[in-house]
Structures are given as C-alpha cells and as structure tokens.
Amino acid sequence: MKPFEYIRAEGIDEAGTAAAGGATLIAGGTNLLDLMKLQVAAPGTLVDIGHVPGLGDIEETAEGLRIGALVTNSALAADPRVRKGWPVLSRAILSGASGQIRNRATTAGNLLQRTRCPYFQDPASPCNKREPGSGCPAKGGVSRMTAILGTSENCIAAHPSDMAVAMTLLEAEAEIRAAAGTVRHLPLGDLYRVPGDQPDEETTLQPGEIITAVHVPHVPAGSVQAYRKVRDRASYAFALVSVAGIVRMEEGRMAEARLAFGGVGTKPWHDAEADALLTGRRPSEALFGEAAQLVLAGARTEEGNAFKVPLLSRTMKAVLRELTGAAPASPGTDRTEAYA
Amino acid sequence: MQITLTVNGETRDMDLDPRVTLLDALRDHLRLTGSKKGCDHGQCGACTVLMDGRRVNACLVLAAMAEGAEITTVEGLGRPGSLNPLQQEFVACDGFQCGYCTPGQIMSATGMLAEARDGWPSHVSESLAGPVALTDGEIAERMSGNLCRCAAYPGIRQAISNCAGTSAEAAKEAAE
Ligand SMILES: Cc1cc2nc3c(=O)[nH]c(=O)nc-3n(C[C@H](O)[C@H](O)[C@H](O)COP(=O)(O)OP(=O)(O)OC[C@H]3O[C@@H](n4cnc5c(N)ncnc54)[C@H](O)[C@@H]3O)c2cc1C
Ligand code: SF4
Ligand code: FES
Ligand code: FES
C-alpha cells in the first residue's frame, strides 16, 4: 500500500468536507483495501465513515424502507422485514461473497464496488478504466467474467455486485448528500454510467457527494420474487450470469413482471422493453423466449464470454417458470408476505 | 499513529503506520500469531477473527478502523489444556491436517454458529423464515469463506455439527 493519512469522521459534515477536498471514503473497506494492496487505488487521505452516526439503521417509511449507507450486507439480508417483503434482496446478498465479508460490507460500499476484471486489478497491465487511453486487453483476452451488454470499444468490464441487481429490480433510489448539505435522490439506473468512451467514469456522483441511504419502495404482497446466480463454483464466487425477478399473477396473467440481470452488464442491467412485453400476458415458453431475445438483442460477445448468451437465456426462462408457477420453486424463489 | 485495540478483553496501545491491517497488528505487533495470513485479500478466511462478536477477515480491516471494537482471536477461545468445545471437536473429528487454516475455521465457525442461533438465513436455506437447521449443506455454505488446502472439510463440518447441538442427519430429519 502507498502511504496515506487516516481520518475517522465523527459526523457527516466532516466526512463531506474531507471528501470534497479529495479524500477517499472508506466504509467496510473490503473492496477499497483490497485495491489499495494491489496499488490499483492509492488515496492520499482516507476518511473512515464507519462511525458516522445516523447511517446505520433500516427505517420504515410510507413508501417502503430507508436503508442506511452503513447497514451491513449481513444485517440487511437477515432483517425480518426484508426477508418477508423484499426476499429477492436477501437472496441476492446471501449469494454474494462470504459470511465474513458480508459482515463488513456496507450497503453503499457494495453499490460502489469496482469491477473484478483481472486486467483492472493488475497495475502492470494496460486498462482504459484504470489508465484512460492505455487499451483494453480483456477484448481478445481473458474475458470469461466480462459483460455482453452495455459494453463499448473501450471497456467490457462487468459490474460485479449481486445486491445492486436486486436493488435495480426493486427500483431503489440512492439518497445522496452533497458536501454543502443538500440531498438528492437518484434511481440506481441513473447512478451508474455505461463505459462509452470514458470507462473511468463509473457513476454520476459528484466530488464530495456521499451516499447516505438507499430507499426501496414497497412490493405488493403476493408477488413472487427470485434471485438465481450461476457461477463457476457453488459458493463464494462472482456471477457469470444472474437473474432477479418479480412476478405478480392475476387470473393466469402476469399483472406485473420485472427482471434485472447481473454478470452480463457493464452496470446492473434492466430492460424495460422486456418487462413491458411480459406484463399483462399469459406465461408461455414462447413468450419467455421472445423476452430473452429482446434482452439479448444488443449483446456483443468475445470468444471468452459468448457462452453468456445461451446461459442468460436459459437462466431467465428457468426463473420465469418458477415466478409464474410453471415450475416448482427452488431455494432462491420466495413469495412476498406483508411484513407488518 | 497511536492506536488502542481491545483484544481478548485486554486493552493494548500501539504506535502504528496507518497502513497496518488488523491482522498484521495482531500477528506482528501483539505476537498473537494464531490468526493466519493466507491470501491477504479476503479470499481464504485464514485471518478470521470476531469483531464485536461477528466474524470478519482481519486482513481487510485496518487496525485504525478496529479501534473501539472488541476483537476476539483464537487465543481468546481457549488455550492448550483448556480448549473450548469447538476446539476439542476439531481435534476429535480430525478437522485439520496441516492446521494452517484451523484458527480461521474455528473463529469462523464460532461466528457462524452465533449467526445461525440468531436465525440468519443462508443462500441454500429453503425458506427465509427460519428457524435454521444446520444440515451438512447449510454448514458447507455458511463456511464457504474458509478454504482448506488439505481438504479436511468432512472433519471440519462434523466438528461444527457436533457443536451445533444436533448432528447434521438429525437436523435434516427435523427439516423433512
Ligand atoms: C473474496 C471476495 C469475494 C466477493 N464476492 C462477491 C460476490 O460474490 N458478490 C458481490 O456482490 N460482491 C462480492 N464481493 C464484494 C463485496 O461485496 C464488496 O467488497 C463490498 O460490498 C464493498 O463494501 P464495503 O463497505 O466494504 O466498501 P468499501 O471497500 O469501504 O468501499 C467501496 C467503494 O465505495 C466507496 N464508498 C463507500 N461508502 C460510500 C458512501 N457512503 N458514499 C460514497 N462512496 C462510498 C468507497 O470510497 C470505495 O470506492 C466480494 C469481495 C471479496 C473480497
Ligand atoms: S474490460 Fe475495462 S476494466 Fe477490463 S481491461 Fe478492459 S478497460 Fe480495463
Ligand atoms: S488472509 Fe485474510 S482472507 Fe486470506
Ligand atoms: S488443515 Fe491444512 S489448510 Fe486446512
């Protein structure tokens, strides 16, 4: 690690001022310290926000839940309200990392974790995301873990988070505080940027902005939710492909249908057209196939990740079968209950 | 910088570079070498300790970040001659071969059993509603953050299962 100054912020104002002055925030540290050891990140000043009061609670609001930025992944997945009302969020978190890491990983830190592209993590290699203009060796190189949707000539790195896929599905919004103290809400879809010609710019956060919470709206009771993650080993591995979904059936039709995807996009992936195609229709294999084709229409593949096209298609259909009751539910598929 | 850590109930003052991790502070500065360094990147679990009662990877925490927390290492569970039940079961069940991963396994299992008692579900739990039955599959999933290069996994799971108060088979039957 390169030398740095360590500051423990006692309050949000102090953290905001330090961040506006160029300091890097550290929450759980499970991603940032890893990258600092690799010298991929080398902050001059580290502001530890782990003890800032007011960021560690899950509160019920009229619209749903307000999840503080410092709520750990473990606490969020185990929260009884989340398990009943937003089971897909518990399932997505529990499918990621390990018990130890989830105990430290925070809600905001998880959303903002960096890609696991091996070239990004190796400072000896070129990488447009780490060193703009240096090239993208993942193209034509080791690309098993890279994205097929939202990619550009300059970068094909996948967003690694499982939790963010469930949050995207749930139409969550980040609560963001500027150093001046003003607060704005931003749908997650607008928090993340696709790489385009600036793969180093991953989010729309401005200097000095801090994520203070994530708001997750209510989901109607009686809907079925699922998170299915496909990976190279049964546990403790990042997704090759993951599918999160919610369906509410009414008289044999999908009154509501929403899907989101992980492991395949340069950001947690959502396809509004596929949701619209499914919504209001009777479930059928033909319809599921049509929806999969729609999601994959813009896919661009490399030799090393072309398998993700059929894999995503099959995983998506398997999840839709369980969500609509055409196949029995396996662990990962849960019926939403009113949590109150 | 001046850092005060509370380890196994004792308060210890140190003068450390901010870069020192909790793991290095424990091993190199406090000479508590039970916690092991396998990967130094959160991937193997050899460095697992309890922080305020919850298991964490000490290699991914700065010592400065751990100030004010209660840290428990394997030395705090039991000593030769006065092993705690989990340590005894690891011996009885052949829960190790070379022993390098063992302190991390035991600390992780300690944290994991507390999580299960608190009703936390896992990725393989059929229902999120609980209660948790610690079947062999549940133990394997919950312990996946601890790698064992000697593949002593069957003995490790058996040792943990014995301490869960009920054998994996009995828990399975109860679940069915
Ligand atoms: C071995 C291993 C396996 C893993 N497997 C998975 C997996 O399968 N699935 C998965 O989803 N994840 C996985 N992870 C990643 C893990 O989920 C993340 O490391 C973790 O969620 C990051 O949270 P943190 O609080 O530790 O973030 P930190 O490391 O503290 O911070 C991450 C980034 O977020 C910024 N930040 C933190 N908080 C804020 C805030 N409030 N406002 C603005 N910026 C902020 C930091 O400046 C930093 O840039 C794995 C990690 C490891 C080490
Ligand atoms: S895919 Fe993106 S992160 Fe990976 S090497 Fe290319 S530019 Fe870097
Ligand atoms: S040394 Fe900490 S997880 Fe491997
Ligand atoms: S006993 Fe040798 S690594 Fe586990």
mmCIF file with all atom_site columns, all heavy atoms in Angstrom, chain A residues 7 22 45 91 175 191 270 277-278 285:
data_model
loop_
_atom_site.group_PDB
_atom_site.id
_atom_site.type_symbol
_atom_site.label_atom_id
_atom_site.label_alt_id
_atom_site.label_comp_id
_atom_site.label_asym_id
_atom_site.label_entity_id
_atom_site.label_seq_id
_atom_site.pdbx_PDB_ins_code
_atom_site.Cartn_x
_atom_site.Cartn_y
_atom_site.Cartn_z
_atom_site.occupancy
_atom_site.B_iso_or_equiv
_atom_site.pdbx_formal_charge
_atom_site.auth_seq_id
_atom_site.auth_comp_id
_atom_site.auth_asym_id
_atom_site.auth_atom_id
_atom_site.pdbx_PDB_model_num
ATOM 1  N N   . ILE A 1 7   ? -8.211  9.446   8.596   1.00 0.00 ? 7   ILE A N   1
ATOM 2  C CA  . ILE A 1 7   ? -9.072  10.288  9.439   1.00 0.00 ? 7   ILE A CA  1
ATOM 3  C C   . ILE A 1 7   ? -10.332 9.500   9.761   1.00 0.00 ? 7   ILE A C   1
ATOM 4  O O   . ILE A 1 7   ? -10.939 8.915   8.858   1.00 0.00 ? 7   ILE A O   1
ATOM 5  C CB  . ILE A 1 7   ? -9.532  11.575  8.699   1.00 0.00 ? 7   ILE A CB  1
ATOM 6  C CG1 . ILE A 1 7   ? -8.347  12.340  8.117   1.00 0.00 ? 7   ILE A CG1 1
ATOM 7  C CG2 . ILE A 1 7   ? -10.363 12.463  9.611   1.00 0.00 ? 7   ILE A CG2 1
ATOM 8  C CD1 . ILE A 1 7   ? -8.797  13.457  7.177   1.00 0.00 ? 7   ILE A CD1 1
ATOM 9  N N   . GLY A 1 22  ? -11.012 15.997  -1.664  1.00 0.00 ? 22  GLY A N   1
ATOM 10 C CA  . GLY A 1 22  ? -10.258 14.983  -2.408  1.00 0.00 ? 22  GLY A CA  1
ATOM 11 C C   . GLY A 1 22  ? -9.978  13.700  -1.646  1.00 0.00 ? 22  GLY A C   1
ATOM 12 O O   . GLY A 1 22  ? -9.343  12.793  -2.186  1.00 0.00 ? 22  GLY A O   1
ATOM 13 N N   . THR A 1 45  ? -5.566  10.499  1.257   1.00 0.00 ? 45  THR A N   1
ATOM 14 C CA  . THR A 1 45  ? -6.264  10.599  2.541   1.00 0.00 ? 45  THR A CA  1
ATOM 15 C C   . THR A 1 45  ? -7.463  9.668   2.528   1.00 0.00 ? 45  THR A C   1
ATOM 16 O O   . THR A 1 45  ? -8.212  9.613   1.554   1.00 0.00 ? 45  THR A O   1
ATOM 17 C CB  . THR A 1 45  ? -6.757  12.042  2.797   1.00 0.00 ? 45  THR A CB  1
ATOM 18 O OG1 . THR A 1 45  ? -5.656  12.928  2.672   1.00 0.00 ? 45  THR A OG1 1
ATOM 19 C CG2 . THR A 1 45  ? -7.368  12.173  4.183   1.00 0.00 ? 45  THR A CG2 1
ATOM 20 N N   . ARG A 1 91  ? -31.940 -12.699 -0.816  1.00 0.00 ? 91  ARG A N   1
ATOM 21 C CA  . ARG A 1 91  ? -31.357 -13.787 -1.620  1.00 0.00 ? 91  ARG A CA  1
ATOM 22 C C   . ARG A 1 91  ? -30.139 -13.327 -2.412  1.00 0.00 ? 91  ARG A C   1
ATOM 23 O O   . ARG A 1 91  ? -29.146 -14.044 -2.517  1.00 0.00 ? 91  ARG A O   1
ATOM 24 C CB  . ARG A 1 91  ? -32.418 -14.339 -2.585  1.00 0.00 ? 91  ARG A CB  1
ATOM 25 C CG  . ARG A 1 91  ? -33.543 -15.107 -1.914  1.00 0.00 ? 91  ARG A CG  1
ATOM 26 C CD  . ARG A 1 91  ? -33.048 -16.397 -1.319  1.00 0.00 ? 91  ARG A CD  1
ATOM 27 N NE  . ARG A 1 91  ? -34.151 -17.224 -0.812  1.00 0.00 ? 91  ARG A NE  1
ATOM 28 C CZ  . ARG A 1 91  ? -33.950 -18.389 -0.200  1.00 0.00 ? 91  ARG A CZ  1
ATOM 29 N NH1 . ARG A 1 91  ? -32.723 -18.867 -0.041  1.00 0.00 ? 91  ARG A NH1 1
ATOM 30 N NH2 . ARG A 1 91  ? -34.970 -19.076 0.257   1.00 0.00 ? 91  ARG A NH2 1
ATOM 31 N N   . GLU A 1 175 ? -29.975 7.890   -1.857  1.00 0.00 ? 175 GLU A N   1
ATOM 32 C CA  . GLU A 1 175 ? -30.094 9.211   -1.224  1.00 0.00 ? 175 GLU A CA  1
ATOM 33 C C   . GLU A 1 175 ? -28.673 9.755   -1.126  1.00 0.00 ? 175 GLU A C   1
ATOM 34 O O   . GLU A 1 175 ? -27.810 9.135   -0.528  1.00 0.00 ? 175 GLU A O   1
ATOM 35 C CB  . GLU A 1 175 ? -30.723 9.035   0.163   1.00 0.00 ? 175 GLU A CB  1
ATOM 36 C CG  . GLU A 1 175 ? -30.857 10.304  0.967   1.00 0.00 ? 175 GLU A CG  1
ATOM 37 C CD  . GLU A 1 175 ? -31.260 9.979   2.415   1.00 0.00 ? 175 GLU A CD  1
ATOM 38 O OE1 . GLU A 1 175 ? -32.347 9.424   2.648   1.00 0.00 ? 175 GLU A OE1 1
ATOM 39 O OE2 . GLU A 1 175 ? -30.440 10.280  3.311   1.00 0.00 ? 175 GLU A OE2 1
ATOM 40 N N   . LEU A 1 191 ? -27.583 6.222   -11.412 1.00 0.00 ? 191 LEU A N   1
ATOM 41 C CA  . LEU A 1 191 ? -26.338 6.344   -10.631 1.00 0.00 ? 191 LEU A CA  1
ATOM 42 C C   . LEU A 1 191 ? -25.164 5.797   -11.449 1.00 0.00 ? 191 LEU A C   1
ATOM 43 O O   . LEU A 1 191 ? -24.076 6.361   -11.449 1.00 0.00 ? 191 LEU A O   1
ATOM 44 C CB  . LEU A 1 191 ? -26.479 5.563   -9.320  1.00 0.00 ? 191 LEU A CB  1
ATOM 45 C CG  . LEU A 1 191 ? -25.207 5.413   -8.479  1.00 0.00 ? 191 LEU A CG  1
ATOM 46 C CD1 . LEU A 1 191 ? -24.770 6.768   -7.914  1.00 0.00 ? 191 LEU A CD1 1
ATOM 47 C CD2 . LEU A 1 191 ? -25.416 4.428   -7.331  1.00 0.00 ? 191 LEU A CD2 1
ATOM 48 N N   . HIS A 1 270 ? -31.075 -3.705  -16.605 1.00 0.00 ? 270 HIS A N   1
ATOM 49 C CA  . HIS A 1 270 ? -32.531 -3.735  -16.614 1.00 0.00 ? 270 HIS A CA  1
ATOM 50 C C   . HIS A 1 270 ? -32.984 -3.463  -18.031 1.00 0.00 ? 270 HIS A C   1
ATOM 51 O O   . HIS A 1 270 ? -32.367 -2.655  -18.734 1.00 0.00 ? 270 HIS A O   1
ATOM 52 C CB  . HIS A 1 270 ? -33.071 -2.663  -15.653 1.00 0.00 ? 270 HIS A CB  1
ATOM 53 C CG  . HIS A 1 270 ? -34.557 -2.530  -15.716 1.00 0.00 ? 270 HIS A CG  1
ATOM 54 N ND1 . HIS A 1 270 ? -35.203 -1.365  -16.056 1.00 0.00 ? 270 HIS A ND1 1
ATOM 55 C CD2 . HIS A 1 270 ? -35.542 -3.455  -15.517 1.00 0.00 ? 270 HIS A CD2 1
ATOM 56 C CE1 . HIS A 1 270 ? -36.518 -1.570  -16.044 1.00 0.00 ? 270 HIS A CE1 1
ATOM 57 N NE2 . HIS A 1 270 ? -36.746 -2.822  -15.722 1.00 0.00 ? 270 HIS A NE2 1
ATOM 58 N N   . LEU A 1 277 ? -43.049 -6.351  -22.439 1.00 0.00 ? 277 LEU A N   1
ATOM 59 C CA  . LEU A 1 277 ? -43.509 -7.482  -23.257 1.00 0.00 ? 277 LEU A CA  1
ATOM 60 C C   . LEU A 1 277 ? -44.223 -8.522  -22.389 1.00 0.00 ? 277 LEU A C   1
ATOM 61 O O   . LEU A 1 277 ? -45.252 -9.088  -22.785 1.00 0.00 ? 277 LEU A O   1
ATOM 62 C CB  . LEU A 1 277 ? -42.309 -8.117  -23.966 1.00 0.00 ? 277 LEU A CB  1
ATOM 63 C CG  . LEU A 1 277 ? -42.618 -9.381  -24.788 1.00 0.00 ? 277 LEU A CG  1
ATOM 64 C CD1 . LEU A 1 277 ? -43.314 -8.995  -26.089 1.00 0.00 ? 277 LEU A CD1 1
ATOM 65 C CD2 . LEU A 1 277 ? -41.356 -10.171 -25.084 1.00 0.00 ? 277 LEU A CD2 1
ATOM 66 N N   . LEU A 1 278 ? -43.670 -8.779  -21.198 1.00 0.00 ? 278 LEU A N   1
ATOM 67 C CA  . LEU A 1 278 ? -44.213 -9.827  -20.331 1.00 0.00 ? 278 LEU A CA  1
ATOM 68 C C   . LEU A 1 278 ? -45.479 -9.379  -19.605 1.00 0.00 ? 278 LEU A C   1
ATOM 69 O O   . LEU A 1 278 ? -46.396 -10.173 -19.382 1.00 0.00 ? 278 LEU A O   1
ATOM 70 C CB  . LEU A 1 278 ? -43.152 -10.236 -19.291 1.00 0.00 ? 278 LEU A CB  1
ATOM 71 C CG  . LEU A 1 278 ? -41.889 -10.920 -19.840 1.00 0.00 ? 278 LEU A CG  1
ATOM 72 C CD1 . LEU A 1 278 ? -40.792 -10.940 -18.781 1.00 0.00 ? 278 LEU A CD1 1
ATOM 73 C CD2 . LEU A 1 278 ? -42.203 -12.346 -20.295 1.00 0.00 ? 278 LEU A CD2 1
ATOM 74 N N   . GLU A 1 285 ? -43.740 -20.656 -22.836 1.00 0.00 ? 285 GLU A N   1
ATOM 75 C CA  . GLU A 1 285 ? -42.340 -20.809 -23.226 1.00 0.00 ? 285 GLU A CA  1
ATOM 76 C C   . GLU A 1 285 ? -41.998 -19.883 -24.385 1.00 0.00 ? 285 GLU A C   1
ATOM 77 O O   . GLU A 1 285 ? -40.917 -19.311 -24.440 1.00 0.00 ? 285 GLU A O   1
ATOM 78 C CB  . GLU A 1 285 ? -42.052 -22.267 -23.620 1.00 0.00 ? 285 GLU A CB  1
ATOM 79 C CG  . GLU A 1 285 ? -41.917 -23.201 -22.437 1.00 0.00 ? 285 GLU A CG  1
ATOM 80 C CD  . GLU A 1 285 ? -40.744 -22.874 -21.532 1.00 0.00 ? 285 GLU A CD  1
ATOM 81 O OE1 . GLU A 1 285 ? -39.616 -22.733 -22.025 1.00 0.00 ? 285 GLU A OE1 1
ATOM 82 O OE2 . GLU A 1 285 ? -40.966 -22.745 -20.307 1.00 0.00 ? 285 GLU A OE2 1
#
